[in-house]
Short mmCIF file of all heavy atoms in Angstrom, two decimals:
data_model
loop_
_atom_site.label_atom_id
_atom_site.label_comp_id
_atom_site.label_asym_id
_atom_site.label_seq_id
_atom_site.Cartn_x
_atom_site.Cartn_y
_atom_site.Cartn_z
N SER A 64 31.70 -33.55 -36.19
CA SER A 64 33.09 -34.09 -36.32
C SER A 64 33.73 -34.34 -35.00
O SER A 64 33.24 -33.79 -33.93
CB SER A 64 33.97 -33.18 -37.19
OG SER A 64 34.57 -32.17 -36.40
N PHE A 65 34.85 -35.04 -34.99
CA PHE A 65 35.61 -35.35 -33.77
C PHE A 65 36.22 -34.13 -33.13
O PHE A 65 36.66 -34.16 -31.95
CB PHE A 65 36.76 -36.31 -34.12
CG PHE A 65 37.87 -35.69 -34.97
CD1 PHE A 65 39.01 -35.26 -34.38
CD2 PHE A 65 37.81 -35.60 -36.33
CE1 PHE A 65 40.07 -34.68 -35.11
CE2 PHE A 65 38.79 -35.02 -37.10
CZ PHE A 65 39.92 -34.56 -36.48
N LYS A 66 36.24 -33.03 -33.84
CA LYS A 66 36.86 -31.77 -33.27
C LYS A 66 36.22 -31.36 -31.97
O LYS A 66 36.83 -30.72 -31.14
CB LYS A 66 36.77 -30.64 -34.28
CG LYS A 66 37.36 -30.94 -35.66
CD LYS A 66 38.82 -31.02 -35.67
CE LYS A 66 39.35 -31.31 -37.04
NZ LYS A 66 40.76 -31.33 -37.13
N ALA A 88 42.96 -21.59 -37.40
CA ALA A 88 43.02 -21.85 -38.86
C ALA A 88 42.24 -23.11 -39.09
O ALA A 88 42.14 -23.92 -38.16
CB ALA A 88 44.46 -22.00 -39.26
N SER A 89 41.71 -23.34 -40.28
CA SER A 89 40.96 -24.58 -40.46
C SER A 89 40.76 -24.95 -41.91
O SER A 89 40.71 -24.10 -42.77
CB SER A 89 39.59 -24.44 -39.77
OG SER A 89 38.87 -25.63 -39.83
N THR A 90 40.60 -26.29 -42.11
CA THR A 90 40.14 -26.76 -43.42
C THR A 90 38.61 -26.89 -43.32
O THR A 90 37.97 -27.40 -44.24
CB THR A 90 40.77 -28.10 -43.74
OG1 THR A 90 40.51 -29.00 -42.66
CG2 THR A 90 42.27 -27.97 -43.94
N GLY A 91 38.01 -26.52 -42.21
CA GLY A 91 36.53 -26.46 -42.13
C GLY A 91 35.95 -26.93 -40.84
O GLY A 91 35.17 -26.27 -40.18
N ASN A 92 36.32 -28.17 -40.40
CA ASN A 92 35.67 -28.71 -39.24
C ASN A 92 36.08 -28.04 -37.93
O ASN A 92 35.26 -27.87 -37.04
CB ASN A 92 35.97 -30.23 -39.08
CG ASN A 92 35.08 -30.99 -40.10
OD1 ASN A 92 33.89 -30.65 -40.25
ND2 ASN A 92 35.61 -32.05 -40.72
N THR A 93 37.37 -27.72 -37.81
CA THR A 93 37.80 -27.04 -36.57
C THR A 93 37.10 -25.67 -36.42
O THR A 93 36.61 -25.31 -35.39
CB THR A 93 39.33 -26.75 -36.64
OG1 THR A 93 39.99 -28.08 -36.65
CG2 THR A 93 39.83 -25.97 -35.47
N SER A 94 36.90 -24.98 -37.59
CA SER A 94 36.20 -23.67 -37.51
C SER A 94 34.76 -23.88 -37.14
O SER A 94 34.15 -23.07 -36.39
CB SER A 94 36.38 -22.95 -38.83
OG SER A 94 35.88 -23.66 -39.92
N LYS A 121 30.44 -26.84 -43.81
CA LYS A 121 31.29 -26.36 -42.68
C LYS A 121 31.33 -24.84 -42.65
O LYS A 121 31.33 -24.23 -41.58
CB LYS A 121 32.71 -26.90 -42.92
CG LYS A 121 32.77 -28.43 -42.99
CD LYS A 121 34.16 -28.89 -43.38
CE LYS A 121 34.14 -30.39 -43.69
NZ LYS A 121 35.45 -30.89 -44.07
N PHE A 139 45.83 -24.01 -46.07
CA PHE A 139 45.70 -24.23 -44.61
C PHE A 139 47.04 -23.97 -43.89
O PHE A 139 47.09 -23.38 -42.81
CB PHE A 139 45.26 -25.64 -44.30
CG PHE A 139 45.32 -25.97 -42.82
CD1 PHE A 139 44.34 -25.60 -41.95
CD2 PHE A 139 46.47 -26.66 -42.33
CE1 PHE A 139 44.45 -25.88 -40.58
CE2 PHE A 139 46.54 -26.96 -40.99
CZ PHE A 139 45.54 -26.58 -40.12
N ASN A 159 43.52 -24.43 -32.34
CA ASN A 159 43.96 -25.54 -33.21
C ASN A 159 44.57 -26.61 -32.36
O ASN A 159 44.85 -26.43 -31.18
CB ASN A 159 45.02 -25.02 -34.25
CG ASN A 159 44.31 -24.29 -35.39
OD1 ASN A 159 44.31 -23.06 -35.46
ND2 ASN A 159 43.69 -25.06 -36.28
N SER A 160 44.95 -27.74 -32.98
CA SER A 160 45.43 -28.85 -32.20
C SER A 160 46.90 -28.70 -31.75
O SER A 160 47.43 -29.53 -31.05
CB SER A 160 45.27 -30.22 -32.98
OG SER A 160 45.93 -30.13 -34.22
N ARG A 165 43.48 -29.44 -26.89
CA ARG A 165 42.66 -30.11 -27.91
C ARG A 165 43.04 -31.57 -27.96
O ARG A 165 42.17 -32.44 -28.10
CB ARG A 165 43.05 -29.42 -29.27
CG ARG A 165 42.26 -28.18 -29.61
CD ARG A 165 40.90 -28.48 -30.20
NE ARG A 165 40.99 -29.49 -31.29
CZ ARG A 165 41.32 -29.26 -32.54
NH1 ARG A 165 41.58 -28.04 -32.92
NH2 ARG A 165 41.43 -30.23 -33.43
N GLN A 169 40.69 -34.92 -27.35
CA GLN A 169 40.49 -35.89 -28.44
C GLN A 169 40.94 -37.29 -28.04
O GLN A 169 40.40 -38.29 -28.60
CB GLN A 169 41.24 -35.44 -29.69
CG GLN A 169 40.44 -34.36 -30.44
CD GLN A 169 41.18 -33.71 -31.54
OE1 GLN A 169 40.99 -32.56 -31.84
NE2 GLN A 169 41.99 -34.47 -32.29
N PRO A 190 42.14 -41.33 -40.84
CA PRO A 190 42.73 -40.38 -41.81
C PRO A 190 43.70 -39.42 -41.07
O PRO A 190 43.54 -39.15 -39.85
CB PRO A 190 41.53 -39.55 -42.25
CG PRO A 190 40.40 -39.86 -41.38
CD PRO A 190 40.70 -41.06 -40.54
N VAL A 191 44.69 -38.93 -41.77
CA VAL A 191 45.66 -38.08 -41.17
C VAL A 191 45.78 -36.78 -41.99
O VAL A 191 45.95 -36.81 -43.23
CB VAL A 191 47.07 -38.74 -41.10
CG1 VAL A 191 48.14 -37.76 -40.62
CG2 VAL A 191 46.97 -39.96 -40.13
N GLY A 192 45.66 -35.61 -41.30
CA GLY A 192 45.85 -34.31 -41.97
C GLY A 192 46.89 -33.56 -41.24
O GLY A 192 48.07 -33.65 -41.52
N ASN A 193 46.43 -32.75 -40.24
CA ASN A 193 47.43 -32.02 -39.45
C ASN A 193 48.05 -32.93 -38.37
O ASN A 193 48.85 -32.49 -37.60
CB ASN A 193 46.67 -30.84 -38.79
CG ASN A 193 47.57 -29.63 -38.62
OD1 ASN A 193 48.55 -29.47 -39.28
ND2 ASN A 193 47.20 -28.75 -37.69
N ALA A 194 47.56 -34.16 -38.30
CA ALA A 194 48.17 -35.22 -37.47
C ALA A 194 47.89 -35.09 -35.94
O ALA A 194 48.49 -35.79 -35.14
CB ALA A 194 49.64 -35.39 -37.72
N GLY A 195 46.95 -34.20 -35.56
CA GLY A 195 46.59 -34.11 -34.15
C GLY A 195 45.82 -35.35 -33.67
O GLY A 195 46.01 -35.81 -32.58
N ASN A 196 44.97 -35.89 -34.54
CA ASN A 196 44.06 -36.92 -34.06
C ASN A 196 44.82 -38.24 -33.82
O ASN A 196 44.63 -38.89 -32.84
CB ASN A 196 42.91 -37.16 -35.09
CG ASN A 196 41.66 -37.60 -34.39
OD1 ASN A 196 41.43 -37.30 -33.22
ND2 ASN A 196 40.77 -38.23 -35.12
N ILE A 197 45.75 -38.55 -34.74
CA ILE A 197 46.54 -39.83 -34.55
C ILE A 197 47.38 -39.68 -33.27
O ILE A 197 47.53 -40.62 -32.48
CB ILE A 197 47.35 -40.16 -35.79
CG1 ILE A 197 47.94 -41.58 -35.65
CG2 ILE A 197 48.46 -39.19 -36.07
CD1 ILE A 197 48.47 -42.15 -37.00
N ALA A 245 39.27 -31.60 -46.08
CA ALA A 245 39.60 -31.56 -44.67
C ALA A 245 41.05 -31.95 -44.40
O ALA A 245 41.66 -31.51 -43.44
CB ALA A 245 38.71 -32.53 -43.91
N ILE A 246 41.63 -32.78 -45.28
CA ILE A 246 43.01 -33.18 -45.04
C ILE A 246 43.97 -32.72 -46.17
O ILE A 246 44.98 -33.32 -46.41
CB ILE A 246 43.12 -34.78 -44.88
CG1 ILE A 246 42.39 -35.51 -46.02
CG2 ILE A 246 42.49 -35.20 -43.54
CD1 ILE A 246 42.64 -37.02 -46.02
N ILE A 248 46.53 -30.80 -46.52
CA ILE A 248 47.52 -30.19 -45.64
C ILE A 248 48.92 -30.64 -46.05
O ILE A 248 49.11 -31.89 -46.19
CB ILE A 248 47.23 -30.52 -44.13
CG1 ILE A 248 45.88 -29.91 -43.72
CG2 ILE A 248 48.35 -30.11 -43.22
CD1 ILE A 248 45.42 -30.29 -42.34
N GLU A 292 32.01 -37.70 -44.69
CA GLU A 292 32.63 -36.81 -45.65
C GLU A 292 33.85 -37.48 -46.29
O GLU A 292 34.41 -38.45 -45.72
CB GLU A 292 33.02 -35.48 -45.02
CG GLU A 292 34.09 -35.53 -43.98
CD GLU A 292 34.61 -34.12 -43.62
OE1 GLU A 292 35.35 -33.62 -44.45
OE2 GLU A 292 34.25 -33.59 -42.56
N ALA A 294 37.15 -37.01 -46.49
CA ALA A 294 38.34 -37.26 -45.69
C ALA A 294 38.14 -38.43 -44.75
O ALA A 294 39.05 -39.23 -44.56
CB ALA A 294 38.72 -36.02 -44.83
N SER A 295 36.96 -38.57 -44.20
CA SER A 295 36.69 -39.68 -43.26
C SER A 295 36.77 -41.04 -43.94
O SER A 295 37.12 -42.03 -43.37
CB SER A 295 35.28 -39.51 -42.70
OG SER A 295 35.15 -38.28 -42.07
N THR A 329 35.65 -39.58 -39.35
CA THR A 329 35.87 -38.34 -38.54
C THR A 329 34.80 -37.31 -38.70
O THR A 329 34.66 -36.47 -37.80
CB THR A 329 37.24 -37.79 -38.94
OG1 THR A 329 37.29 -37.84 -40.44
CG2 THR A 329 38.39 -38.52 -38.38
N GLY A 330 34.05 -37.28 -39.79
CA GLY A 330 33.09 -36.16 -40.04
C GLY A 330 31.88 -36.62 -40.79
O GLY A 330 31.99 -37.52 -41.66
N1 F0G B 401 39.02 -35.88 -40.95
C1 F0G B 401 38.36 -34.74 -40.90
C2 F0G B 401 36.89 -34.76 -41.25
C3 F0G B 401 39.03 -33.58 -40.54
O1 F0G B 401 38.31 -32.40 -40.53
C4 F0G B 401 40.40 -33.55 -40.24
C5 F0G B 401 41.13 -32.36 -39.92
C6 F0G B 401 41.03 -34.83 -40.30
C7 F0G B 401 40.30 -35.97 -40.60
C8 F0G B 401 42.47 -34.98 -39.98
O2 F0G B 401 42.70 -34.86 -38.57
O3 F0G B 401 44.24 -32.96 -38.69
O4 F0G B 401 43.99 -34.31 -36.63
O5 F0G B 401 45.11 -35.27 -38.60
N2 F0G B 401 40.62 -31.16 -39.99
C9 F0G B 401 41.33 -29.95 -39.50
C10 F0G B 401 40.35 -28.81 -39.62
C11 F0G B 401 42.65 -29.71 -40.10
O6 F0G B 401 40.80 -27.62 -39.70
O7 F0G B 401 39.14 -28.99 -39.54
P1 F0G B 401 44.08 -34.29 -38.07
#
Side-chain angles (χ1 to χ4, degrees):
S64 87
F65 70 98
K66 306 285 180 179
S89 185
T90 56
N92 282 322
T93 296
S94 57
K121 301 175 191 177
F139 169 83
N159 282 103
S160 57
R165 277 276 314 278
Q169 282 172 214
V191 173
N193 213 23
N196 213 25
I197 191 166
I246 52 172
I248 294 176
E292 64 167 286
S295 305
T329 43

